[in-house]
Amino acid sequence: WQGGYKLAGWSDQSPYPGFDVLLHPAKAEPYGMVISEAMAARVPVVISDVCGAAVHVTSDSGAVLPLSAPLDAWVGAVEQQLRRLEPVPEFERGWGTVAQEYEKIYSEILNRCLKR
């Protein structure tokens, strides 16, 4: 791959369709909405295992690496995604699913608070 790179930085709306890969080596990330947004736009992702969205990243949609992985592993994972021939399957996680997950979390928190 000889095309160079562009760091997009912060934006009101990220131009995901123009991305070749999303690299997200976060040290701490409760979920990482940018990850699911990129996958929904069929952009492959390479992320750290501390991202909450890591549970949704399959080998078809990218790679999840330990943050402690050597630089060569990160480079290799990005290069693998840039060489891919098959498109990324569209990621879909509807608001109904998200609402049900949050309802469960809030119920558990409420139950813990009531037991005090």
Side-chain angles (χ1 to χ4, degrees):
W1 181 62
Q2 301 296 318
Y5 66 91
K6 179 181 177 186
L7 297 177
W10 187 89
S11 173
D12 284 341
Q13 184 170 356
S14 295
Y16 294 109
F19 290 7
D20 295 315
V21 66
L22 173 74
L23 174 62
H24 196 329
K27 289 182 180 179
E29 182 69 76
Y31 182 73
M33 187 60 79
V34 67
I35 299 163
S36 58
E37 289 173 350
M39 291 190 311
R42 304 182 93 171
V43 174
V45 299
V46 176
I47 68 169
S48 61
D49 60 354
V50 297
C51 297
V55 299
H56 300 293
V57 177
T58 66
S59 60
D60 289 340
S61 56
V64 178
L65 297 170
L67 192 57
S68 61
L71 181 59
D72 289 350
W74 286 91
V75 170
V78 170
E79 287 179 340
Q80 181 180 6
Q81 296 309 312
L82 292 172
R83 287 191 307 266
R84 65 186 299 136
L85 300 175
E86 296 295 319
V88 173
E90 186 176 5
F91 175 71
E92 189 174 317
R93 185 169 175 249
W95 286 112
T97 301
V98 173
Q100 289 173 346
E101 291 171 359
Y102 273 86
E103 181 181 29
K104 181 180 176 189
I105 291 167
Y106 289 138
S107 292
E108 290 172 3
I109 292 170
L110 181 61
N111 286 335
R112 277 190 245 142
C113 289
L114 293 173
K115 289 180 181 180
R116 288 183 182 178

